[in-house]
């Protein structure tokens, strides 16, 4: 849209008031601008075509890179899953070994405790039996004789 100034410039006076002179012709600024810029735009047409081609190639390259990145991400996730499975298996193996060692140590401790109890029982058994026999004898001798006369 032409500005107010451009519109008014079309109707500028052809000369100062006074004697008759040649008639003024309204100026067409849009036509002047187009006439001035058309050769420049024609020279830029090849550049515009080239820039369009470059943008298209860049978009193609960007899509190719995105696809490669997607493929790399899928491969990375698959590798990470395999590695996670291996780590889980290793952790399970270590846990099982720890449980086995703990169980073996607990069983050995239980055997040691049982042996200690058995040894203590063996050491005190003879004394305990002698004490029980002595008490029974004392109890038997304390019973009055009730046999018929």
């Amino acid at each position: 849209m032409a500005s107010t100034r451009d519109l008014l410039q079309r109707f500028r006076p052809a000369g100062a008031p006074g004697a008759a002179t040649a008639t003024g012709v309204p100026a067409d600024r849009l036509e002047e601008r187009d006439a001035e810029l058309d050769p420049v735009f024609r020279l830029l047409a090849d550049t515009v075509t080239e820039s369009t081609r470059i943008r298209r190639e860049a978009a193609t390259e960007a899509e190719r890179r995105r696809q490669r990145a997607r493929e790399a991400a899928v491969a990375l996730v698959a590798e990470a899953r395999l590695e996670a499975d291996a780590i889980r298996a290793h952790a399970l193996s270590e846990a099982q070994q720890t449980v086995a060692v703990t169980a073996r140590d607990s069983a050995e401790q239980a055997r040691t405790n049982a042996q200690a109890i058995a040894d203590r029982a063996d050491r005190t058994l003879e004394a305990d039996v002698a004490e029980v026999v002595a008490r029974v004898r004392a109890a038997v001798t304390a019973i009055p004789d009730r046999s018929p006369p």
Side-chain angles (χ1 to χ4, degrees):
M1 172 134 207
S3 71
T4 306
R5 181 170 188 215
D6 289 340
L7 186 62
L8 292 175
Q9 282 297 326
R10 290 176 146 191
F11 301 103
R12 71 180 185 276
T21 60
T23 315
V25 177
D28 186 356
R29 298 288 182 210
L30 294 176
E31 187 176 318
E32 287 176 10
R33 183 194 67 195
D34 289 346
E36 184 179 337
L37 293 177
D38 273 346
V40 174
F41 288 142
R42 274 193 299 267
L43 290 173
L44 290 175
D46 291 342
T47 305
V48 169
T49 303
E50 178 69 12
S51 67
T52 302
R53 182 190 63 75
I54 290 171
R55 278 194 302 273
R56 222 180 356 231
E57 287 176 2
T60 302
E61 176 67 15
E63 183 56 36
R64 188 178 62 77
R65 287 182 182 188
R66 277 192 291 274
Q67 184 59 35
R68 271 192 305 181
R70 279 189 214 95
E71 292 168 359
V74 166
L76 188 62
V77 167
E79 182 181 335
R81 285 187 177 140
L82 289 175
E83 189 174 332
D85 289 343
I87 290 171
R88 276 190 214 102
H90 185 269
L92 177 62
S93 173
E94 284 183 351
Q96 287 172 336
Q97 288 175 357
T98 300
V99 167
V101 167
T102 302
R104 191 171 43 246
D105 290 348
S106 294
E108 182 62 34
Q109 185 64 39
R111 277 192 290 280
T112 301
N113 290 343
Q115 187 61 46
I117 292 169
D119 290 346
R120 197 169 38 239
D122 286 346
R123 283 192 309 267
T124 61
L125 182 63
E126 191 174 315
D128 291 344
V129 169
E131 183 181 336
V132 169
V133 168
R135 285 185 183 187
V136 169
R137 282 187 183 151
V140 168
T141 55
I143 300 175
D145 187 22
R146 294 193 180 173
S147 42

